[in-house]
Amino acid sequence: MKLLFNKNILLNSAFLFLLSIGYSQPNKTVKNEEFVPQWAKTVVWYQIFPERFRDGDTANNPTINDIKGADPQEQPAAWQIHPWGSDWYELQAYEKTNGEPELWKHMLRRRYGGDLQGVINKLDYLQELGVTAIYLNPVFQSPSLHKYDSESYHHIDPNFGPDPEGDRKLIATENPLDASTWVWTSADNLALKLIENAHNRGMKIIFDGVFNHLGYNSFAFQDVLKNQQNSPYKDWFIIKSWRDEEKGTKFDYEGWFGVKSLPELKEDSTGIVEGPKQYIFNATQRWMNPKGKGTAFGIDGWRLDVAFCIGHPFWKQWRAHVRSINSEAYMTAEIVDTPDKVQPYMQGDEFDGEMNYNFAFASAEFFFNTDSTSIKASEYDTKLNELRELYPSGVAYVSQNLFGSHDSNRVGSHIVNSDLGIGNFRNWGTYFNSSTASNNPNYSTRKPEEEDIELQKLFAIMQMTYVGAPMIYYGDEVGMWGGNDPDSRKPMIWDDIAYEDEVYSVDGSKHAPDKVAVNNDLFQHYKKLITIRNNHTALQMGTYKTLFTDDEKGVLIFERNYNNENLIVVINNGNSEYVVDVAELSKECFTDLISEKVFENNKIIVAKKWGLVLKKCI
């Protein structure tokens, strides 16, 4: 989902309406055998928003001409690459020159220069952290910072590669309708290098597929704008009226939720219509088996944007196509809705898993929220059980268990604002608006304090030990903070970059300085937990059994078991230390894998707001 900063009220109203009427007809249930790729149970995901992760090549940074067509449509009088280490809310001199009173326009115009070389340069960092799978937000050709307004699906954005000007000249020689004429640009080849380097480190990598719409700048839509009914792409989009001077009609079309920079692709009862469908299928083949060299050189799967906006028939056809290329490919969907609405997509003929926002919602209600949405340990356990039991075998194990993302406030900032009523996740529109600092004057943009970070650490223990593949949003592991879009898309914090203190508020006023720097203690905590998960198959593929809940004390104890490996996880969300008194743990000696402390004689004590991962002493 890519809710645009200035249009979020409109988009969220449309989003909720769509969910109320949407594509929720039941699918045929697939029984017996698991349909998910087994490797997807074992990974730890890391989500990267490329433009904000790392500038690995300053020579390819975009120019003012490269952002034409992105929202906001008006071109600025002055523009430059934004300083990576600058105070987030402080307007730079060039921005003040433009005289725009609306902050969202400044935010959408900013470019920091992140690129694919930056990702390649930081693969060692990800490997040190323990990451084994990467999800890249869109990397395809696009004028925006977020790349959800694709100019094409078969080319990497030239500004993500080493030769933007040369790449654009090469692209201009193609016939987009004829895949045999498609060239491999320097940016495309750099993407293949990234894939190869990730694979050499034992990492999987998936791309973001944005197949509901193309961008205003796309080759297909620009041809329709120019040639109208004579365009070979005239049937690709939902056209409301054609330009006709004699009849006095103007050209009009359907944009995603009314956003004109995102013209929607046309669907009929069979799915996305033939022209764009074939183009999508060709682009899918290109990135999964590049240059015909084999699937080992291609991406390992896809994350599908706003999957709920496309009817089931297309997804069934597309899944069959993907699996015909690579039988082990992984497909995960963005479907932000109640579990019963998500269920039809997870029956074996569409997706393997989802970005598991319902895990995030339930976790926030148990660990963080202090308003009416707060739940007790037994309620949390019940909600998690419902999610595990809702889907066919294997789906829960490969779904991406996240909290932060490019479409939510960061986990640290959610904790800071846990008393503001931002936990109304069941109403996504309310949640989005109330967790966006510019929409909510009570939303605190301050840096999380030590107590907040300790609660994030507790959530991380749960995330890394529970059923499902944990996913970290870039920077959460080093303490980044921020409200919802655009604040969730700040530039990554690195040790070798100098950062100004954050002193500016969203309204332009000043506050006490918040120091921006890597939180090494938090990084080490994530690294330790990821190591534990990577080293213990029981946490990746093991069965789950609840051993005990204590609503008064805020305690959840569960067991993960795989073959002969048995681990017990103790989560103490209470405000006092807890002495574990569970029959299953009596007369045993346990080692806590986090602290490496040994507990004997049935005296297992867990500190407040903390957790243990217990393994029987050898």
Side-chain angles (χ1 to χ4, degrees):
M1 186 182 301
K2 63 254 139 244
L3 301 176
L4 301 180
F5 191 28
N6 62 316
K7 301 184 178 75
N8 47 43
I9 296 176
L10 168 67
L11 296 185
N12 282 299
S13 297
F15 179 85
L16 295 172
F17 172 72
L18 183 60
L19 294 183
S20 70
I21 66 171
Y23 303 103
S24 58
Q25 65 264 35
N27 293 3
K28 181 180 179 181
T29 300
V30 176
K31 298 180 180 179
N32 300 323
E33 295 184 3
E34 288 189 354
F35 52 79
V36 302
Q38 295 302 297
W39 65 260
K41 296 180 178 181
T42 69
V43 296
V44 175
W45 289 98
Y46 192 90
Q47 180 186 349
I48 294 177
F49 197 86
E51 213 281 323
R52 301 294 164 82
F53 187 62
R54 181 75 173 185
D55 186 356
D57 181 1
T58 58
N60 66 9
N61 286 347
T63 68
I64 190 171
N65 288 328
D66 297 331
I67 70 171
K68 286 181 179 178
D71 289 319
Q73 293 287 324
E74 313 96 310
Q75 280 288 91
W79 188 88
Q80 67 180 55
I81 292 295
H82 208 77
W84 196 279
S86 58
D87 186 342
W88 176 247
Y89 284 124
E90 181 181 10
L91 295 182
Q92 299 296 303
Y94 80 90
E95 293 176 303
K96 294 177 181 177
T97 299
N98 292 320
E100 295 281 7
E102 298 160 299
L103 181 62
W104 68 266
K105 289 187 177 181
H106 297 294
M107 293 293 192
L108 282 178
R109 284 178 178 143
R110 287 180 181 177
R111 302 291 186 275
Y112 287 80
D115 50 33
L116 292 191
Q117 188 60 53
V119 179
I120 292 171
N121 291 350
K122 288 300 180 180
L123 287 176
D124 286 345
Y125 167 84
L126 298 181
Q127 191 166 26
E128 179 190 356
L129 181 60
V131 167
T132 51
I134 299 168
Y135 152 43
L136 289 177
N137 282 100
V139 293
F140 297 137
Q141 186 179 5
S142 156
S144 71
L145 67 95
H146 50 72
K147 309 299 179 194
Y148 282 99
D149 51 345
S150 305
E151 294 182 15
S152 76
Y153 300 140
H154 66 284
H155 284 304
I156 303 299
D157 190 85
N159 293 107
F160 281 168
D163 185 13
E165 183 178 354
D167 284 358
R168 290 188 172 95
K169 289 179 179 177
L170 273 176
I171 293 170
T173 67
E174 297 176 336
N175 174 5
L177 287 174
D178 183 356
S180 68
T181 70
W182 293 356
V183 297
W184 287 90
T185 67
S186 67
D188 297 339
N189 285 317
L190 190 63
L192 299 186
K193 179 181 177 181
L194 168 60
I195 294 166
E196 182 179 11
N197 286 1
H199 286 172
N200 288 342
R201 288 171 166 78
M203 298 177 184
K204 303 290 187 178
I205 186 167
I206 63 174
F207 281 1
D208 207 328
V210 189
F211 302 147
N212 174 71
H213 50 264
L214 279 163
Y216 184 88
N217 281 11
S218 67
F219 63 86
F221 191 72
Q222 284 296 308
D223 195 276
V224 171
L225 277 178
K226 178 181 178 182
N227 297 308
Q228 297 287 288
Q229 296 100 317
N230 295 321
S231 171
Y233 309 101
K234 62 183 175 62
D235 295 323
W236 282 37
F237 303 98
I238 305 170
I239 306 301
K240 296 179 178 180
S241 62
W242 296 102
R243 185 170 58 244
D244 191 320
E245 294 181 2
E246 291 184 4
K247 294 181 180 180
T249 57
K250 295 182 179 180
F251 178 65
D252 195 17
Y253 58 95
E254 190 70 45
W256 182 72
F257 286 158
V259 180
K260 293 299 188 180
S261 62
L262 305 173
E264 280 200 75
L265 295 174
K266 185 189 293 185
E267 287 187 75
D268 59 24
S269 60
T270 66
I272 292 177
V273 295
E274 186 60 28
K277 171 191 165 183
Q278 190 57 55
Y279 172 62
I280 292 169
F281 276 37
N282 288 340
T284 299
Q285 173 84 25
R286 176 180 174 89
W287 295 111
M288 295 187 65
N289 182 10
K291 304 180 182 180
K293 295 172 63 177
T295 56
F297 297 90
I299 58 173
D300 302 287
W302 297 85
R303 178 265 189 186
L304 290 314
D305 182 60
V306 293
F308 58 89
C309 291
I310 300 176
H312 292 289
F314 172 79
W315 289 129
K316 296 178 193 299
Q317 299 165 44
W318 184 77
R319 178 186 179 86
H321 177 62
V322 167
R323 283 296 177 86
S324 73
I325 302 169
N326 182 352
S327 62
E328 289 297 305
Y330 171 69
M331 287 158 277
T332 183
E334 179 196 33
I335 311 171
V336 187
D337 204 346
T338 54
D340 62 303
K341 295 288 183 66
V342 179
Q343 186 184 32
Y345 295 90
M346 305 295 168
Q347 298 301 313
D349 54 356
E350 295 186 43
F351 305 113
D352 300 305
E354 61 172 321
M355 294 182 74
N356 199 358
Y357 281 103
N358 283 308
F359 166 78
F361 300 164
S363 296
E365 291 164 356
F366 175 58
F367 288 106
F368 309 143
N369 295 359
T370 58
D371 63 358
S372 61
T373 64
S374 177
I375 59 175
K376 298 183 182 299
S378 61
E379 295 174 278
Y380 183 49
D381 180 56
T382 297
K383 287 194 173 191
L384 294 181
N385 182 67
E386 290 173 351
L387 288 174
R388 291 194 307 275
E389 297 298 322
L390 185 64
Y391 307 130
S393 178
V395 172
Y397 283 79
V398 303
S399 287
Q400 296 166 311
N401 288 345
L402 74 158
F403 193 93
S405 82
H406 62 295
D407 284 327
S408 71
N409 60 185
R410 285 188 178 271
V411 56
S413 288
H414 186 97
I415 295 168
V416 168
N417 291 279
S418 59
D419 61 344
L420 288 186
I422 60 174
N424 189 6
F425 296 109
R426 305 310 172 196
N427 183 332
W428 183 252
T430 298
Y431 164 69
F432 182 88
N433 286 309
S434 61
S435 64
T436 300
S438 61
N439 296 342
N440 186 348
N442 295 316
Y443 191 93
S444 174
T445 59
R446 72 161 172 82
K447 180 180 182 178
E449 297 172 350
E450 184 176 352
E451 185 177 1
D452 306 314
I453 294 296
E454 289 303 301
L455 201 51
Q456 180 177 342
K457 287 181 177 180
L458 176 59
F459 167 73
I461 295 173
M462 182 69 192
Q463 184 184 29
M464 295 296 164
T465 57
Y466 181 63
V467 173
M471 183 160 74
I472 302 168
Y473 184 48
Y474 81 95
D476 279 351
E477 78 280 8
V478 294
M480 288 184 67
W481 69 93
N484 218 320
D485 174 20
D487 298 354
S488 57
R489 304 173 181 187
K490 292 179 180 179
M492 175 68 173
I493 300 175
W494 298 109
D495 273 334
D496 62 347
I497 295 177
Y499 295 85
E500 297 177 0
D501 292 344
E502 287 196 2
V503 298
Y504 281 88
S505 301
V506 67
D507 61 2
S509 62
K510 290 187 176 183
H511 56 73
D514 282 324
K515 184 174 179 58
V516 180
V518 170
N519 185 327
N520 283 302
D521 178 64
L522 185 59
F523 175 85
Q524 293 300 326
H525 179 71
Y526 272 92
K527 180 179 176 180
K528 178 94 175 189
L529 290 171
I530 294 171
T531 299
I532 292 171
R533 185 177 183 90
N534 288 341
N535 289 343
H536 293 87
T537 309
L539 297 178
Q540 302 166 6
M541 306 179 75
T543 58
Y544 176 96
K545 178 183 178 181
T546 300
L547 299 181
F548 182 74
T549 61
D550 187 328
D551 286 348
E552 181 181 350
K553 300 293 186 179
V555 171
L556 168 66
I557 303 176
F558 59 88
E559 177 185 69
R560 302 295 310 277
N561 186 67
Y562 186 81
N563 291 340
N564 295 321
E565 184 177 60
N566 179 274
L567 297 178
I568 294 171
V569 179
V570 182
I571 300 292
N572 179 14
N573 195 35
N575 292 313
S576 59
E577 72 174 22
Y578 188 83
V579 179
V580 178
D581 184 16
V582 178
E584 285 86 343
L585 307 186
S586 61
K587 299 179 181 180
E588 294 283 358
C589 171
F590 288 95
T591 299
D592 172 31
L593 298 179
I594 300 175
S595 67
E596 301 179 7
K597 182 177 180 180
V598 176
F599 295 98
E600 297 184 274
N601 302 319
N602 198 31
K603 289 189 177 180
I604 300 175
I605 301 173
V606 56
K608 68 176 183 177
K609 301 294 182 183
W610 197 246
L612 307 174
V613 182
L614 301 174
K615 185 174 183 178
K616 287 184 181 180
C617 300
I618 298 175

